Amino acid sequence: MNSKAITKYICLGVIIFLGAFFAYKTVLVNNNDQEQLVRLTSSPEGLPQYVKSGTRVYWTTMQSTQLNSDTFKVYKGDLKPSIYSSAENQYIQYVYATDGKSVYYMDRMLPNGIDGVDAYSFRPIENGNYIHFYGKDDKHVYYKDLTISGANPSTFKILWMVPPEGCMPPRYSKDDTQVFYDHMLVKGADAATFEPLHDDYGKDKDHVFLKEKLQVGVSPANFKVPTTCEYGS
């Protein structure tokens, strides 16, 4: 074996050794941190949440966002225990947080920049469930970490309703002139007469919608959601 081949194998061995060493050190650090985790939210163990370890804050698994615990806080709102709670398990999960400059939904950062989120005026919005999916600041409304473009924060309302058992709740919202599904505009919907149904359907005085899509030729007068609302269907 010539000297070039020997040098090549030596370098390869060193790389493999260093990789294994740092992987081992990472496992040790993670294991040590896991033993020191402090939950910063009232969610039960096993649910995603913010946790603190030493001087750092993490979202659940410590695999993503790492925030400084000195400036970190979880935004609190007006949520009440819901149909997902019980006398023994009345918890509310808050998932918006800030480090004083940026705002986070779980481990995802909300838009920053000149026209981005304002951490000072930001607050979660009540949605009737045990978890916040919506928030707003003085200029914008957000669904999770996404901006609801054009939504008016002063008139914004979440159209939450408790669906029939086994059905999915509608994710509609509106302001004084527009209707939204998640962060998307429901084009052509009349905000004054719009009402959510369930399983992603909604209707106004003239139209029926599935998510943000108009259902062409479907009359809202006698419309019934074409699902049986059974678990697993």
Side-chain angles (χ1 to χ4, degrees):
M1 183 180 294
N2 59 41
S3 59
K4 289 185 177 180
I6 294 173
T7 301
K8 176 181 177 182
Y9 284 113
I10 290 175
C11 291
L12 181 61
V14 170
I15 292 172
I16 293 173
F17 171 78
L18 289 175
F21 173 78
F22 284 112
Y24 172 72
K25 291 291 288 184
T26 299
V27 170
L28 285 181
V29 170
N30 283 344
N31 285 341
N32 290 336
D33 282 347
Q34 288 285 357
E35 294 175 0
Q36 303 171 29
L37 292 184
V38 177
R39 288 184 293 155
L40 299 177
T41 52
S42 58
S43 308
E45 291 188 33
L47 283 181
Q49 58 190 295
Y50 290 108
V51 293
K52 177 181 177 180
S53 178
T55 61
R56 309 300 289 177
V57 174
Y58 304 88
W59 174 252
T60 309
T61 61
M62 304 174 60
Q63 301 297 318
S64 51
T65 305
Q66 301 181 24
L67 306 177
N68 189 322
S69 62
D70 292 337
T71 58
F72 176 86
K73 74 170 184 177
V74 179
Y75 288 104
K76 299 297 177 67
D78 300 318
L79 286 181
K80 305 294 188 299
S82 70
I83 58 171
Y84 297 97
S85 303
S86 65
E88 297 77 26
N89 189 27
Q90 293 194 1
Y91 58 85
I92 298 170
Q93 187 179 10
Y94 291 98
V95 292
Y96 280 112
T98 182
D99 59 3
K101 295 180 179 180
S102 300
V103 176
Y104 301 86
Y105 175 82
M106 298 186 179
D107 61 340
R108 303 194 293 271
M109 184 185 294
L110 273 64
N112 267 333
I114 296 176
D115 197 38
V117 64
D118 174 32
Y120 181 78
S121 64
F122 182 89
R123 60 188 181 278
I125 306 173
E126 166 70 72
N127 73 343
N129 202 343
Y130 77 106
I131 185 171
H132 285 296
F133 289 110
Y134 294 86
K136 67 179 181 179
D137 58 21
D138 288 342
K139 295 182 178 179
H140 306 98
V141 181
Y142 304 90
Y143 173 75
K144 298 185 177 180
D145 61 320
L146 303 171
T147 304
I148 304 180
S149 181
N152 184 344
S154 63
T155 60
F156 183 81
K157 179 182 180 182
I158 299 168
L159 299 178
W160 170 264
M161 57 166 279
V162 178
E165 186 175 2
C167 292
M168 294 298 294
R171 301 201 301 272
Y172 286 105
S173 59
K174 72 175 185 177
D175 60 17
D176 50 331
T177 61
Q178 304 168 102
V179 177
F180 308 95
Y181 179 84
D182 290 350
H183 68 290
M184 299 172 288
L185 176 67
V186 182
K187 295 180 180 179
D190 177 51
T193 61
F194 187 89
E195 61 178 292
L197 300 173
H198 56 78
D199 282 10
D200 294 327
Y201 283 94
K203 67 178 182 179
D204 62 16
K205 60 183 178 63
D206 297 317
H207 310 99
V208 174
F209 300 89
L210 175 58
K211 298 184 178 180
E212 81 281 10
K213 303 292 186 181
L214 172 67
Q215 301 301 285
V216 179
V218 180
S219 171
N222 300 308
F223 177 76
K224 294 183 178 180
V225 177
T227 62
T228 57
C229 293
E230 293 179 356
Y231 290 109
S233 61

